[in-house]
Amino acid sequence: MREVFDVLVIGAGPGGTQAAVSAAHQMRHVLLLDASKVSRRRGRAYWSKTVKIEDAPVFTGITGVQFAKALRAWTEGQPERSIERGGEERMAGIRRADGFAMDLERLDNGTFELTYATEPLSRDGQVGATTTALGRTVVVASGFEDGWPDIETDDSAARMYRKYQLVYRYAGNSRGWHLCIRCDGHLHVDEHLAIVGVGDYIFEVVQGAQDFTDRITVLTNGRPHGMSPRVLEALRERGADLEDGRIEAHIGQGLNLLGFRMADGRELFFDGFFVDEGLKANDEFLHRFDVAHADDGLLRCSPDHEVLDSSGEPIPGMWAAGDIVAGERNLIASAFASGQDAGLEASDSLRRWAMPTGCGD
Ligand SMILES: Cc1cc2nc3c(=O)[nH]c(=O)nc-3n(C[C@H](O)[C@H](O)[C@H](O)COP(=O)(O)OP(=O)(O)OC[C@H]3O[C@@H](n4cnc5c(N)ncnc54)[C@H](O)[C@@H]3O)c2cc1C
């Protein structure tokens, strides 16, 4: 007989950790898959290298690395253990496994089988050892990867972290690349911000920046601005500059980013650097399921965080939490909230009996 977990949680950021803790608190046996040791995908908060996270509940004033450690320590409060319930012995609590989800399949008996890599991928992306785990329910909490600016990139590199190695040197530092105006705007009050990106959605960053500063330059990095006439007009009305030259190189000092050398030889200096080049959901392992994606590529879910299929129906036994859910705020407190909801919904779906039909509505 193979072991079957009550809940498989894929991703150990705030969304997945909360889902695991909430389900374990209801005496469920949970496998929490943590990719951080076998992958450079360590979660979005992890990129806050020297920038302190100020607005997450309880964990105030810590960097991304400390935050990841605190989340890990939190799960230790729900250790995996054998319990006796109603005269039966069974398992409860959280087992953490280091692994990167590769594939999820529904078996004939309705159980999910998760295949995950237990070793880091090789430099050219080859998968080494893998193993499998079975679960009655799944919570997908694997977040998304941000797009990065194409500046001094290594286009021959097969893997994203190699391609953007120089960009990552400055990412997540107080004076470096920021990805979230709500998270890091407060570091640059009344300072001059560079905002890199194209299309109407870059105006959302400009709009968010107004809470902190009016000194804004949007840089398209050599591409057409892609903004609709009304958005372009709004940008001009707000007094933001538009710079459409190509950025050739970073001008930096240690881990601090100071400005850009443009392809035409000019040097432009700024105090803060924000980028929005889109995102990519971390859901490759769901390729066997007909999951529905919103326009931004994130998972469409019901208000109860059930993952929906392309006809709008919930996929039985599958919930999602955190940044990967379309329409949520991409912030830590929201990830905790949806993680709690997904973990409890998955847990409740395993109850043996329910309220009689028509009562308690
Ligand atoms: C630089 C930066 C600074 C930020 N600062 C703040 C802030 O100050 N305040 C705030 O509220 N929010 C902040 N955010 C946003 C916040 O980090 C996210 O909203 C939050 O981390 C989302 O939580 P999550 O659990 O959904 O996803 P993540 O934290 O991204 O976690 C996803 C997890 O899934 C794992 N994973 C991915 N793929 C797989 C796979 N195939 N198999 C297994 N595991 C996988 C990853 O390793 C990771 O552990 C910041 C984001 C960034 C990028």
Side-chain angles (χ1 to χ4, degrees), residues 41 143-147 278-284 296-298:
R41 271 195 208 165
F144 62 74
E145 294 295 292
D146 293 276
L279 58 88
K280 194 182 162 305
N282 294 328
D283 65 353
E284 310 89 333
D296 56 9
L298 299 177

Side-chain angles (χ1 to χ4, degrees), residues 285-351:
F285 53 88
L286 291 179
H287 62 96
R288 293 178 193 273
F289 292 84
D290 174 29
V291 291
H293 292 101
D295 290 346
D296 56 9
L298 299 177
L299 297 181
R300 278 196 199 280
C301 294
S302 72
D304 288 336
H305 295 100
E306 299 157 297
V307 178
L308 300 179
D309 67 16
S310 59
S311 61
E313 290 299 315
I315 296 177
M318 190 186 292
W319 285 262
D323 277 2
I324 198 164
V325 178
E328 302 267 328
R329 287 191 191 282
N330 298 326
L331 290 168
I332 289 166
S334 317
F336 281 132
S338 60
Q340 182 180 59
D341 196 36
L344 290 181
E345 290 289 332
S347 169
D348 290 357
S349 74
L350 300 170
R351 286 174 168 169

Side-chain angles (χ1 to χ4, degrees), residues 11 13-15 35 41 43-45 48 55 100-101 141-142 183 322-323 330-332 335:
R41 271 195 208 165
R44 292 188 77 230
S48 291
D55 58 342
F100 186 79
S142 40
C183 307
D323 277 2
N330 298 326
L331 290 168
I332 289 166

Side-chain angles (χ1 to χ4, degrees), residues 7 33 97 99 202 204 206 252 258 279 283 329 349 355 359:
V7 189
L33 193 64
I202 203 63
E204 288 176 24
V206 175
L258 307 179
L279 58 88
D283 65 353
R329 287 191 191 282
S349 74
M355 180 78 79
C359 304

Side-chain angles (χ1 to χ4, degrees), residues 30 83 110 121 153 158 222 331:
V30 180
I83 57 162
L121 302 188
T153 51
L331 290 168

Side-chain angles (χ1 to χ4, degrees), residues 3 13 41 64 76 126 145 152 171 174-175 208 220 257 272-273 286 290 292 294 321 336 338 343 346 348:
E3 179 178 44
R41 271 195 208 165
E76 287 161 13
Q126 295 301 309
E145 294 295 292
E152 291 183 274
S174 311
R175 180 99 194 245
T220 71
L257 181 57
F273 303 82
L286 291 179
D290 174 29
F336 281 132
S338 60
D348 290 357

